[in-house]
């Protein structure tokens, strides 16, 4: 079976984590004089991974449409498809220091693709009939993650008036969906083992919201921005408490769900530090930078091991039990 038949859209999550790590190192270069080669090398790797995953996923739709359609109609896996246009927009951040023109193309193509997919996917969800056990943090991806990422890309390229629009869409979508997700986690049956790592996505909305705000503003961040970051820190500690429960699921690429939130938590702390903020967040920033690198290193090594074992790609999309 060709690998592109079984490559899941969730593999775009690897791009989020790598770009987040590269962004951390770009900030570390400005703050602490780290070598710029490290950050740009990570960004280059992220770009190559994005190219490979994008090409493979496109081949899946062209040559194995049955598998692609099955994923697109799956109540959980379908939401990961939103990462395809979102990571395309994120390439604007990768390319911005090197080619403004290519970065603009990535922003426009990714942003338009995100809006179209988000409206289609969320519009389908609003029609009802969804089994409550399929509600997981994955449903953030089409409307929350995509909007925040597009906002970050727009702000990075100097279009804050557009960035604020996407930021607003992401914030209110996040606030609307979080209560739905938490209610399901509180009252429905526990998440099945393969879905437990998706709880890592729960960390992302508050800290990526902060990243989107910072990308479209200047100066020392307001108290509300710092407070939102504090909620992200609380989510990080909550996930740390749940690691033994989540880790009952052996390592798989699903653990990349943690990476965008973790890198955004440390990256926004570094950004606020660079803007002159003092106090708790700058004090935590170096510690979180180290933690982020350790988490990403562990997940990257685990992914490489799984690849050598031939266990990286799922055989098929598996629907949750009714």
């Amino acid at each position: 079976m060709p690998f592109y038949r079984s490559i899941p859209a969730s593999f775009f999550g690897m791009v989020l984590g790598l770009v987040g790590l590269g962004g951390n190192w770009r900030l570390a270069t400005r703050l602490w004089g780290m070598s710029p080669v490290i950050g740009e090398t990570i960004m280059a790797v992220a770009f190559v991974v994005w190219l490979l995953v994008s090409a493979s996923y496109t081949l899946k739709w062209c040559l194995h449409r049955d598998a692609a359609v099955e994923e697109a109609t799956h109540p959980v896996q379908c939401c990961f498809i939103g990462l395809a246009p979102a990571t395309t927009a994120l390439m604007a951040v990768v390319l911005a220091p090197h080619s403004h023109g290519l970065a603009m193309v990535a922003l426009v193509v990714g942003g338009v693709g995100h809006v179209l997919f988000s409206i289609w996917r969320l519009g389908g969800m609003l029609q009802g009939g969804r089994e409550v056990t399929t509600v997981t943090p994955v449903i953030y991806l089409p409307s929350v993650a995509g909007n925040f990422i597009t906002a970050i890309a727009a702000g990075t390229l100097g279009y804050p008036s557009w960035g604020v629009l996407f930021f607003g869409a992401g914030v209110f979508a996040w606030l609307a969906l979080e209560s739905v997700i938490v209610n399901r986690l509180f009252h429905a049956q526990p998440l099945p083992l393969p879905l437990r790592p998706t709880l890592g996505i729960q960390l992302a909305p508050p800290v990526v919201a902060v990243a989107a705000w910072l990308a479209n503003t200047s100066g020392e961040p307001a108290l509300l921005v710092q407070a939102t970051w504090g909620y992200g820190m609380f989510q990080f500690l909550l996930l740390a408490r749940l690691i033994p429960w989540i880790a009952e699921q052996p390592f798989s690429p699903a653990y990349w769900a943690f990476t965008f939130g973790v890198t955004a938590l440390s990256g926004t702390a570094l950004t606020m530090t660079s803007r002159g903020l003092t106090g708790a967040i700058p004090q935590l920033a170096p510690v979180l930078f180290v933690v982020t690198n350790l988490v990403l290193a562990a997940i990257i090594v685990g992914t490489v091991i799984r690849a050598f074992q031939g266990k990286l790609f799922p055989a098929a999309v598996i629907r949750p039990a009714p």
Side-chain angles (χ1 to χ4, degrees), residues 84-117:
T87 55
T88 301
L90 194 59
M91 288 302 104
V93 175
V94 175
L95 295 168
H98 309 288
S99 173
H100 183 81
L102 289 177
M104 276 299 302
V105 172
L107 170 59
V108 172
V109 173
V112 171
H114 151 66
V115 171
L116 293 176
F117 178 80

Coordinates of all heavy atoms in Angstrom, one line a residue, residues 84-117:
A84 N -4.4 21.6 6.8 CA -3.7 21.7 5.5 C -3.7 23.2 5.1 O -2.6 23.7 4.8 CB -4.5 20.9 4.4
P85 N -4.8 23.9 5.0 CA -4.7 25.3 4.7 C -4.0 26.2 5.8 O -3.3 27.1 5.5 CB -6.1 25.8 4.4 CG -7.0 24.8 5.2 CD -6.2 23.5 5.1
A86 N -4.2 25.8 7.0 CA -3.7 26.5 8.1 C -2.1 26.5 8.1 O -1.5 27.5 8.3 CB -4.2 26.0 9.5
T87 N -1.6 25.3 7.9 CA -0.1 25.3 7.8 C 0.4 25.9 6.5 O 1.6 26.4 6.5 CB 0.4 23.8 7.8 OG1 -0.3 23.0 6.8 CG2 0.1 23.2 9.2
T88 N -0.4 26.0 5.5 CA 0.0 26.8 4.3 C 0.2 28.2 4.7 O 1.2 28.9 4.3 CB -1.0 26.6 3.2 OG1 -1.1 25.2 2.8 CG2 -0.6 27.3 1.9
A89 N -0.8 28.8 5.4 CA -0.7 30.2 5.8 C 0.5 30.3 6.8 O 1.2 31.4 6.7 CB -2.0 30.6 6.6
L90 N 0.8 29.3 7.6 CA 1.9 29.4 8.5 C 3.2 29.5 7.8 O 4.2 30.0 8.4 CB 1.8 28.2 9.5 CG 2.7 28.3 10.7 CD1 2.3 29.5 11.6 CD2 2.6 27.0 11.5
M91 N 3.3 29.0 6.6 CA 4.5 29.1 5.8 C 4.9 30.5 5.6 O 6.1 30.9 5.3 CB 4.4 28.4 4.5 CG 4.4 26.8 4.6 SD 5.9 26.2 5.4 CE 5.2 25.8 7.0
A92 N 3.9 31.4 5.7 CA 4.3 32.9 5.6 C 5.2 33.3 6.7 O 6.1 34.1 6.4 CB 3.0 33.7 5.7
V93 N 5.1 32.7 7.9 CA 6.0 33.0 9.0 C 7.4 32.5 8.7 O 8.4 33.1 9.0 CB 5.4 32.5 10.3 CG1 6.4 32.7 11.5 CG2 4.1 33.1 10.6
V94 N 7.4 31.3 8.1 CA 8.7 30.7 7.8 C 9.4 31.5 6.7 O 10.6 31.7 6.8 CB 8.5 29.2 7.3 CG1 9.8 28.6 6.8 CG2 7.9 28.4 8.4
L95 N 8.7 31.9 5.7 CA 9.3 32.5 4.5 C 9.5 34.0 4.7 O 10.3 34.6 3.9 CB 8.4 32.3 3.3 CG 8.3 30.8 2.9 CD1 7.1 30.7 1.9 CD2 9.6 30.3 2.3
A96 N 8.8 34.7 5.6 CA 8.8 36.1 5.7 C 10.2 36.7 5.7 O 10.5 37.7 5.0 CB 8.1 36.6 7.0
P97 N 11.2 36.2 6.5 CA 12.5 36.8 6.5 C 13.3 36.6 5.2 O 14.3 37.3 5.0 CB 13.3 36.1 7.6 CG 12.2 35.4 8.4 CD 11.1 35.1 7.4
H98 N 12.8 35.7 4.3 CA 13.6 35.4 3.1 C 12.9 35.8 1.8 O 13.6 36.2 0.9 CB 13.8 33.9 3.1 CG 14.3 33.3 4.4 ND1 15.6 33.5 4.8 CD2 13.7 32.6 5.4 CE1 15.8 32.9 6.0 NE2 14.7 32.4 6.3
S99 N 11.6 35.8 1.7 CA 10.9 36.2 0.5 C 9.5 36.7 0.9 O 8.6 35.9 1.1 CB 10.8 35.0 -0.5 OG 10.0 35.3 -1.6
H100 N 9.3 38.0 0.8 CA 8.0 38.5 1.2 C 7.0 38.1 0.1 O 5.8 37.8 0.5 CB 8.1 40.1 1.2 CG 6.8 40.7 1.6 ND1 6.4 40.8 2.9 CD2 5.8 41.3 0.9 CE1 5.2 41.4 3.0 NE2 4.8 41.7 1.7
G101 N 7.4 38.0 -1.1 CA 6.4 37.6 -2.2 C 5.9 36.2 -2.0 O 4.7 36.0 -2.0
L102 N 6.8 35.3 -1.7 CA 6.3 33.9 -1.5 C 5.5 33.8 -0.2 O 4.5 33.0 -0.1 CB 7.5 33.0 -1.4 CG 8.3 32.7 -2.7 CD1 9.5 31.8 -2.5 CD2 7.3 32.0 -3.8
A103 N 5.9 34.6 0.8 CA 5.2 34.6 2.1 C 3.7 35.1 1.8 O 2.8 34.5 2.4 CB 5.9 35.4 3.1
M104 N 3.6 36.1 1.0 CA 2.2 36.6 0.7 C 1.4 35.5 0.0 O 0.2 35.4 0.2 CB 2.4 37.8 -0.2 CG 2.6 39.1 0.6 SD 1.3 39.5 1.8 CE -0.2 39.6 0.6
V105 N 2.0 34.8 -1.0 CA 1.3 33.8 -1.7 C 0.8 32.7 -0.6 O -0.4 32.3 -0.7 CB 2.2 33.1 -2.7 CG1 1.5 31.8 -3.3 CG2 2.5 34.1 -3.8
A106 N 1.7 32.3 0.3 CA 1.3 31.3 1.3 C 0.1 31.9 2.2 O -0.8 31.1 2.5 CB 2.5 31.0 2.2
L107 N 0.2 33.1 2.5 CA -0.9 33.7 3.4 C -2.2 33.7 2.6 O -3.2 33.3 3.2 CB -0.5 35.1 3.8 CG -1.6 36.0 4.5 CD1 -2.1 35.3 5.7 CD2 -1.1 37.4 4.8
V108 N -2.2 34.2 1.4 CA -3.5 34.3 0.7 C -4.1 32.9 0.4 O -5.2 32.7 0.6 CB -3.2 35.1 -0.7 CG1 -4.5 35.1 -1.5 CG2 -2.8 36.5 -0.3
V109 N -3.2 32.0 -0.1 CA -3.7 30.7 -0.5 C -4.2 30.0 0.8 O -5.3 29.4 0.8 CB -2.7 29.8 -1.2 CG1 -3.1 28.4 -1.3 CG2 -2.3 30.5 -2.5
G110 N -3.4 30.0 1.9 CA -3.7 29.4 3.1 C -4.9 30.0 3.8 O -5.8 29.3 4.3
G111 N -5.0 31.3 3.8 CA -6.1 32.0 4.4 C -7.4 31.8 3.7 O -8.4 31.5 4.4
V112 N -7.4 31.8 2.4 CA -8.7 31.6 1.7 C -9.1 30.1 1.9 O -10.3 29.8 2.1 CB -8.5 31.9 0.2 CG1 -9.7 31.4 -0.6 CG2 -8.3 33.4 0.0
G113 N -8.1 29.2 1.8 CA -8.4 27.8 2.0 C -9.0 27.5 3.4 O -9.9 26.7 3.5
H114 N -8.4 28.2 4.4 CA -8.9 28.0 5.7 C -10.3 28.5 5.9 O -11.2 27.8 6.5 CB -8.0 28.8 6.7 CG -8.8 29.3 7.9 ND1 -9.3 28.4 8.9 CD2 -9.2 30.5 8.3 CE1 -9.9 29.1 9.8 NE2 -9.9 30.4 9.5
V115 N -10.6 29.7 5.3 CA -12.0 30.2 5.4 C -13.0 29.2 4.8 O -14.1 28.9 5.4 CB -12.1 31.6 4.8 CG1 -13.6 32.1 4.8 CG2 -11.3 32.6 5.7
L116 N -12.7 28.8 3.6 CA -13.6 27.9 2.9 C -13.8 26.6 3.6 O -15.0 26.1 3.8 CB -13.0 27.6 1.5 CG -13.0 28.8 0.5 CD1 -12.3 28.4 -0.8 CD2 -14.4 29.3 0.3
F117 N -12.7 26.0 4.1 CA -12.9 24.7 4.8 C -13.6 24.9 6.2 O -14.5 24.1 6.5 CB -11.5 24.0 5.1 CG -11.7 22.7 5.8 CD1 -12.0 21.6 5.2 CD2 -11.5 22.7 7.2 CE1 -12.2 20.4 5.9 CE2 -11.6 21.5 7.9 CZ -12.0 20.4 7.3

